[in-house]
Amino acid sequence: MREYRFYAPETMEALFQAAAQPETEVRFLAGGTDLVPRINMERDQIPYEEKLPMSVISLEKLNLTGIEDTGDTIIIGAATKIVDIQDSGLLRKRVPALCQACDQLASFAIRNTAILGGNIMNASPAADTLPPLLVLDAEVVLQSARGKRTVTLSEFLTGPGMTAIEPGEILTSVVLRPGPGGTAFQKLGRRAAESLSVINAAAYIEMENGVCAKARVAVGSAAPTPRLCEAAASALAGNRLTEEFVHTAMEKVKEELSPIDDIRASAWYRLETAPVMAARAVLAAMNYT
């Protein structure tokens, strides 16, 4: 049977020592809503003899939670629970799109356990928090025994389930830049609740004198990673955003998407609904400016 080792370090130094054990597969545990089911599934597989020991390292005692407003930025600890993001009055006011995404993420039981960093690290193309984070110009802060580095979220997400994390690194916090504009999130699932996204979208809209001064649009579940749709955003900037104009401009998201067929929807359906969800996100974001 495969050997499992559990660590609960109280300092970063102890964490990196535990992670440096030779000939060991390392997994970091915080919410555990994905990791624990994966371990349970793995335990039903054979042969165990071919697998390295797994070191499960808890992040619970490392103080990686919390929401801090620095003025220009908002810093969210990677181990902050989804429910705590939902309950934050600060985030509801300054970055409503992120709260709206958390409102629709999985079930209450999952939201009460899952953490923001886990949703990012899983790097699912359909992850609900990722489009809002992208339009908020998010950066991830990574730490290892070598020190810290900061990477833009758009560069950090490299493919389905893949990120630019390096061996020995952990995600410690997420930095947002809200700006003076409004944000909104929209989700299309196969049912009204507890559903994975068929398409999701987020928008950041900044208006000046009735004209769009700045725009960012992101679409998820329609490419290997959630995508910032720059052509669509550029089509909005400098224009008065009537409903008809927005729907026409959002057709440009198709240029930057490459959806697939899966059990939830066909590629054709995703490509046809993505502009609709993006337009709804833009129009909703205008109401928050």
Side-chain angles (χ1 to χ4, degrees), residues 18-268:
Q21 298 293 321
E23 298 184 359
T24 304
E25 182 181 347
V26 175
R27 290 289 182 268
F28 297 107
L29 173 67
T33 55
D34 280 282
L35 177 61
V36 173
R38 288 179 185 178
I39 290 176
N40 289 334
M41 290 176 62
E42 177 189 81
R43 287 167 62 86
D44 294 332
Q45 298 175 356
I46 53 173
Y48 294 112
E49 295 78 9
E50 296 181 3
K51 297 182 179 293
L52 292 171
M54 178 183 287
S55 291
V56 179
I57 304 176
S58 171
L59 305 180
E60 184 177 0
K61 299 179 180 180
L62 295 173
N63 193 29
L64 298 179
T65 62
I67 301 166
E68 179 185 0
D69 184 0
T70 69
D72 292 335
T73 66
I74 294 175
I75 302 172
I76 304 177
T80 301
K81 291 182 180 180
I82 297 300
V83 70
D84 292 331
I85 294 174
Q86 287 183 277
D87 292 344
S88 169
L90 166 68
L91 297 181
R92 286 279 172 192
K93 180 179 180 180
R94 297 199 62 192
V95 289
L98 181 59
C99 294
Q100 292 161 4
C102 290
D103 290 342
Q104 301 179 65
L105 190 152
S107 66
F108 175 77
I110 295 296
R111 295 193 297 271
N112 202 43
T113 306
I115 63 169
L116 179 62
N119 204 237
I120 295 171
M121 288 302 304
N122 282 337
S124 167
D128 288 327
T129 65
L130 297 184
L133 292 175
L134 285 169
V135 300
L136 289 164
D137 204 17
E139 295 178 330
V140 293
V141 180
L142 309 169
Q143 186 169 346
S144 70
R146 302 178 297 276
K148 291 185 178 182
R149 67 186 181 110
T150 302
V151 182
T152 63
L153 182 61
S154 58
E155 294 176 340
F156 185 67
L157 303 171
T158 59
M162 297 185 293
T163 70
I165 196 99
E166 295 181 355
E169 281 187 325
I170 64 167
L171 171 61
T172 59
S173 61
V174 182
V175 181
L176 311 180
R177 290 175 174 76
T183 66
F185 171 81
Q186 295 286 315
K187 174 175 178 173
L188 175 64
R190 294 186 67 184
R191 54 183 183 269
E194 299 186 22
S195 177
L196 289 172
S197 288
V198 170
I199 283 289
N200 55 26
Y204 170 86
I205 301 296
E206 213 174 292
M207 302 292 291
E208 291 182 4
N209 300 318
V211 172
C212 179
K214 183 182 294 185
R216 286 191 290 269
V217 178
V219 174
S221 200
T225 64
R227 289 284 172 83
L228 275 171
C229 299
E230 296 182 0
S234 295
L236 298 176
N239 290 287
R240 296 187 179 277
L241 303 186
T242 65
E243 184 171 348
E244 181 180 1
F245 179 84
V246 168
H247 278 279
T248 300
M250 288 304 99
E251 287 294 319
K252 287 186 173 293
V253 301
K254 294 181 179 181
E255 300 173 10
E256 299 170 85
L257 304 179
S258 53
I260 61 170
D261 296 329
D262 63 18
I263 60 173
R264 285 177 285 133
S266 66
W268 174 85

